[in-house]
Amino acid sequence: TIGASKVTNAKLDKSNIPLSGFGNAATDVSIGDGTTNYKITNVLDPTDDQDVATKYYVNNYAFAQPMSETQMLGLSSPGEGRLAFCTDCGSGSLMLYYNGSWISVGTANASPYATSVGQTGTILKATETLTGEYVYNDVDGDPQAVSTFKWYRADDNTGTGEAVITGATSSTYTIQVADVSKFLRFGVTPVAGGGVGQGIHVKAS
């Protein structure tokens, strides 16, 4: 940290000031005090009209970036209101991250989406049954058709080694011997009976 008036008579080589190659903003950065000189603020998540942002932020939040459904689901924190152009989502190509889910906004009819995804049941031993739960949503009021389900098995609660359990396509799942000491979770792809039929697959958190 350089305190006020600690640097004097500094001469800048204007021809060698870098204008690119900076990393993404990680926290608030400000120049000036806004009283005796201009103040520039650069924040990781700009909210005020006076805030400025990096090119990275503008590209990813102001414009819809093309990406696959797998890439979209792999984003750890997409950010509420983020847009993405899904390259393999069928008719619902323009997607909006809203209320914890990706929904289609690229057509006159939006895709359905699932919230509150989870599972209930006491994991004690093989033959116990788990039940997947979710809330079906569709902003156009299209009724739910036959939504599809998956169950996943992982080595720990962070998802290490997670894989789809072959044949587990029901909203309920009976624990197998292979599941002992493993971590299980439920996933759903909401399907509407009209409009944009299929939404994005969502796993229990």
Side-chain angles (χ1 to χ4, degrees):
T1 301
I2 300 175
S5 303
K6 296 300 182 181
V7 177
T8 60
N9 299 322
K11 182 178 180 181
L12 292 177
D13 182 356
K14 292 183 290 184
S15 63
N16 289 303
I17 298 175
L19 299 178
S20 63
F22 297 102
N24 301 327
T27 186
D28 290 352
V29 178
S30 62
I31 301 173
D33 57 16
T35 302
T36 58
N37 50 41
Y38 292 105
K39 184 175 183 179
I40 299 175
T41 302
N42 187 355
V43 293
L44 177 63
D45 186 19
T47 54
D48 295 333
D49 291 342
Q50 293 79 15
D51 291 343
V52 297
T54 62
K55 180 177 181 293
Y56 174 87
Y57 183 91
V58 173
N59 283 349
N60 284 275
Y61 288 86
F63 303 102
Q65 296 297 298
M67 62 183 73
S68 68
E69 179 177 344
T70 299
Q71 290 174 314
M72 290 167 57
L73 295 177
L75 296 172
S76 59
S77 300
E80 195 79 356
R82 180 169 183 171
L83 292 171
F85 185 83
C86 184
T87 56
D88 56 2
C89 293
S91 58
S93 295
L94 184 61
M95 309 297 288
L96 171 71
Y97 192 76
Y98 170 72
N99 196 26
S101 297
W102 287 101
I103 61 173
S104 169
V105 294
T107 63
N109 188 285
S111 63
Y113 62 99
T115 56
S116 302
V117 181
Q119 64 266 342
T120 60
T122 303
I123 305 178
L124 294 176
K125 59 183 179 180
T127 73
E128 292 286 337
T129 299
L130 301 178
T131 301
E133 295 184 334
Y134 65 99
V135 176
Y136 172 85
N137 303 270
D138 191 293
V139 295
D140 303 295
D142 296 321
Q144 182 173 199
V146 182
S147 295
T148 60
F149 313 110
K150 292 181 181 179
W151 289 87
Y152 300 83
R153 179 190 295 121
D155 297 327
D156 55 40
N157 62 358
T158 64
T160 300
E162 185 175 77
V164 175
I165 301 174
T166 303
T169 57
S170 171
S171 60
T172 60
Y173 177 70
T174 301
I175 298 172
Q176 309 297 312
V177 173
D179 301 322
V180 175
S181 300
K182 299 291 184 179
F183 290 77
L184 307 176
R185 68 171 167 167
F186 170 72
V188 56
T189 301
V191 177
V196 177
Q198 182 171 305
I200 293 290
H201 187 74
V202 181
K203 298 178 185 178
S205 58

